[in-house]
Amino acid sequence: MATFLYRLGRFSFRKRHVVALFWVALLALAGAGAAGAPAAGNSSFSIPGTEAQKAFDLLDERFPGASADGATARVVFKAPDGQKMTDPGNKAAVQDTVDELSGGAEVTQVTDPYQGGGVSQDGTVAYASVTYEVPGMELEESSREALKAAAEDARDSGLTVEIGGDALQAVPETGSAEIIGIGVAAVVLVITLGSLLAAGLPLLTAIVGVGIGVATITALASTLDLGSTTSILASMIGLAVGIDYALFVVSRYRAELAEGREREEAAGRAVGTAGSAVVFAGLTVVIALVGLSVVNIPMLTKMGIAAAGTVAVAVLIALTLIPAVLGYASRRVRPAGEKSKLLGGGRAKDKADKPNMGTRWASFVVRRPLAVLLLGIVGLGAAAVPAGSLELGLPDDGSQPTSTTQRRAYDLLSEGFGPGFNGPLVVVVDAQGSDDPQAVFQQAGDEIKALDNVVNVAPAAPNKAGDTATIAVIPDAKPSSAATEDLVHDIRAAGADIKDGTGAEVLVTGATAMNIDVSQKLNDALVPYLVLVVGLAFLLLIVVFRSILVPLKAALGFLLSVLAALGAVVAVYQWGWLSGLMGVEETGPIMSMMPIFMVGVVFGLAMDYEVFLVTRIREAHVHGEKPAQAVVTGFRYSARVVTAAAVIMIAVFSGFIGSSDSMVKMIGFGLAIAVLFDAFVVRMAIVPAVLALLGAKAWWLPKWMDRALPNVDVEGESLAAHAGTADKDDEDKELVRA
C-alpha cells in the first residue's frame, strides 16, 4: 500500500492542476445539486420490530386520512390573575383563535377546548389542539406564521398564550461557538506548523471536504429521507477528521523536507507513510459509523452512513488534494523546525539537539510505567462512576430552554393538567377478530383505569368499521420518568391478558411509548454492536501493527475512555454539574442514542490516534530500536502532532455545544470530552506505559498468522527501494537545470 500511495502522492504533486480542478468541479457539482434540491425535512422516525411502531402502522391502516404523522400544535392559554378561562371575555378570545386557526391551508382539525375537555379543573388554563396534513419540517412557513399570528392576537386580549408541539420545529442552529472552534483550530495549526500558509492548508482542504459531503447530503436529503440533523453531524465529524488527516500529511511532508528530500519526493513519501495511517484510521471510523446500521433504526443508520461518506471524502482529499496544494505552495511551506519570517522565524532552531516535550514525556513514562498506568486507570475509573446511574430517554419540549414558547407551553400544561399530560399514551385496541368489539374496548379501558399512575382514561374512539379503537391515557408522572415507563409495561402486560381471553390485540404507542421502545432497542443492540465494530477493527489493527497485544490494548483503552466520557455526560446533563457553563437549562435523562453513537464515533476517533502514534513507534522498532527507545522515538516525532490534532478535534466538537438542538449539543460535549480522555490519558499515558511494561512482547505475533496476514506496510519500508531511484531523478534534474 505504501508504494501505491507514494506514487499517488507524487502524481498529485506533479499533476496538481488536474487534481485541484477535479475537486473544485466536484464541489461545484455537489453545490449545484444542493441548491436545486428540495429543503431537507424531518427524517421519518420509525423503529421496526417494536410494539409502538406496529401500533402506529395499524393506525395508518385502520384510520385512513387521520394524518397520524402530521404536525401537531397545542395552543395553551392562561387567564390573567384572578380570572378564569371560562369568563365570557376570555372564552370569546379563545373562540376567535380557534376560528382563525381553522381556516389554515394545511390544517385538518382544531379542537375547541370548551367542547373537548381542554380546560383545567381550576379553570385557569385551557388548550386547543391543531393537527396539520404534513409533518412539522414540511410545513409551509406561511402556516407557522399563521399559527404565531393567531397566538399573538390572543395575547392582545390579555391572555398568556404559548405554543407547544412540533409544528414550530425548525432546522437546528449551531451558533457562533462553531466558528470559535474553527478559530481555535486555526491557532493550533499555526503554532504546530510554524507558518500561516501551512496552517491554512488543512483548514482549506477540510472545508472543501465538508462542503462536498454536506452539499451531497443536502442534495439527496429529500430523496433519501435524510433529517436536518444528519448534515450537522456529518459536518461535525467530517471537519474534525478532515483537519486532523491533512495535518498528519503536512507534518510528515515538512519532516521529509527537513531530511533534505526534494519536494515532490517529500510529498510522495508523506502520502506513502502518513497517508497509509490516514487510510487505516479513516477505515476504522467508517466501520464504526456504518456499523450503526445493526441497531436497525433507519434514522441512525442514515446518520452513520452519511457521516461515514464525509469521512471517506476527507481521506481521499488528504491523499490527493493535500499534495496538490503543497505543490502550489512550493517553498512557502518550510521544513520542520523552521518558522516563517512573519512568525519570527526564517532560520532553523538553534538547539536542534534539545529533546522536545514529546521526548521528555515519553522518557518519564518509560522510567515509571506502572505508576503512570495506575494513575491513568484510576482517574478514568473515577470519571466513569456517574455512568452507573445513567438514565436514557429522548428529548421533548420539557428539555427545551425556558426562553422558548414550546417549553413555556409545556410548563403551563403541567401546571394546569399535571406533568403526565405532556406525554399522553395512545392505546390501540385491535378487535377485528372479536365477536363483540365494543365489549373488548370497554374491558381494555376499565383494566387500564385500575392501574397505578393513571390520571385519566378517555372513552374508546372506534374507527368507522368499528373493529379498532384508540384510548388516550394520561399518566400521573412526566413523560421521561421511570413511573411512566412502568405504566407502559403494565398496560402491555394487561393487554397480553386481554388477548388471551378475547383474541383482541392491545398495543401502546405515542411519542412517550416510542421513546421507551427506542431506548430498549438501543440497549439491546449495544453489545452486538460493540462485538461487531470492535471485532472488525481489532482484526484490522492486527493487520496494521502485526501484533495481538497492541490491538487488544487499544480496544481496552477505548472502553475506558468511552465509559469516562459517558460518566461526564451524566454528571453534566443528568446531575447538573457545570450545567450553567454548558448552557444546560434542564437536566434529565440522557438521549437514548447517546451511548451507542458515542461508542461508534469515539471508537473510530480513538483508533485514529492509536494508528498515528503507534505506527511511528512500530516504525522505529522495525528499524532496529529497542522497545523502550522506540516508544521515545515515536513520541519525539508524533506527540506534538497528535496533541495538536486532539486539541483541534476537541475545539471543533466543543463548537457544537452552542447548538439550539439538545441532541447536537449533548453529542458535541460527549465527543469533545471523550477525545480529551482518549488522546491525553489513554494514548499519551496508558499506551506508552503498557508498551514499556510489555517490551518486545508487545509486538508478538504467531508465526502462522504472520505468514497468513497481508503486509500492508504502513511504516513505508518498501519506500526504501524508491529512494535510490528518486535520488537519481533529482540528480538528473539538477544536471538538466545546470
Side-chain angles (χ1 to χ4, degrees), residues 42-118:
N42 195 31
S43 179
S44 57
F45 189 78
S46 63
I47 41 176
T50 61
E51 179 174 317
Q53 185 64 44
K54 183 179 178 181
F56 189 83
D57 295 339
L58 187 65
L59 285 175
D60 270 347
E61 177 189 338
R62 304 286 174 85
F63 293 82
S67 301
D69 62 344
T72 59
R74 276 179 169 176
V75 183
V76 188
F77 308 88
K78 183 178 182 181
D81 291 341
Q83 299 183 23
K84 293 186 180 297
M85 290 305 304
T86 51
D87 293 345
N90 294 336
K91 190 173 182 179
V94 172
Q95 189 61 56
D96 290 342
T97 304
V98 170
D99 293 341
E100 185 177 349
L101 290 170
S102 298
E106 296 178 297
V107 174
T108 59
Q109 183 182 13
V110 180
T111 61
D112 187 325
Y114 300 101
Q115 297 178 6

Side-chain angles (χ1 to χ4, degrees), residues 242-509:
I243 295 174
D244 278 8
Y245 294 166
L247 170 62
F248 285 115
V249 175
V250 172
S251 298
R252 189 60 183 252
Y253 171 77
R254 295 179 70 234
E256 297 293 337
L257 289 180
E259 294 182 10
R261 291 190 172 85
E262 186 266 339
R263 292 183 177 272
E264 182 179 324
E265 173 67 11
R269 293 182 71 87
V271 175
T273 51
S276 296
V278 165
V279 168
F280 283 98
L283 193 55
T284 59
V285 179
V286 169
I287 288 173
L289 291 171
V290 173
L292 290 170
S293 58
V294 304
V295 183
N296 195 27
I297 295 179
M299 184 185 72
L300 195 59
T301 299
K302 292 170 185 175
M303 287 167 55
I305 292 175
T310 307
V311 172
V313 171
V315 171
L316 293 174
I317 281 181
L319 300 179
T320 57
L321 187 57
I322 282 291
V325 295
L326 287 173
Y328 284 117
S330 185
R331 298 184 181 277
R332 283 169 289 184
V333 175
R334 299 171 180 271
E338 295 186 16
K339 294 182 179 180
S340 65
K341 293 180 180 179
L342 185 62
L343 296 176
R347 65 185 189 280
K349 291 181 179 178
D350 295 332
K351 298 180 180 179
D353 57 340
K354 181 180 178 180
N356 61 19
M357 180 65 74
T359 302
R360 296 197 296 273
W361 170 250
S363 299
F364 169 79
V365 174
V366 167
R367 289 196 304 271
R368 298 175 178 82
L370 189 58
V372 172
L373 177 62
L374 292 176
L375 185 61
I377 291 175
V378 170
L380 291 177
V385 168
S389 61
L390 175 69
E391 296 177 9
L392 297 177
L394 286 178
D396 54 22
D397 285 347
S399 61
Q400 297 266 15
T402 53
S403 59
T404 63
T405 186
Q406 293 95 327
R407 171 60 188 279
R408 291 195 294 265
Y410 180 98
D411 291 341
L412 283 178
L413 288 172
S414 296
E415 175 188 331
F417 299 91
F421 196 79
N422 284 291
L425 304 175
V426 180
V427 178
V428 183
V429 184
D430 179 8
Q432 194 173 52
S434 174
D435 296 332
D436 189 355
Q438 192 61 45
V440 173
F441 301 154
Q442 184 65 42
Q443 179 186 353
D446 292 342
E447 293 200 17
I448 294 172
K449 286 179 184 177
L451 297 175
D452 294 334
N453 195 35
V454 174
V455 171
N456 184 53
V457 177
N463 62 349
K464 288 183 179 180
D467 58 6
T468 307
T470 60
I471 301 174
V473 180
I474 305 299
D476 183 49
K478 63 181 182 178
S480 58
S481 67
T484 300
E485 182 176 350
D486 291 340
L487 176 60
V488 170
H489 294 313
D490 290 344
I491 294 175
R492 287 173 174 170
D497 294 337
I498 293 174
K499 184 175 182 179
D500 292 339
T502 66
E505 192 166 18
V506 178
L507 306 171
V508 185
T509 188

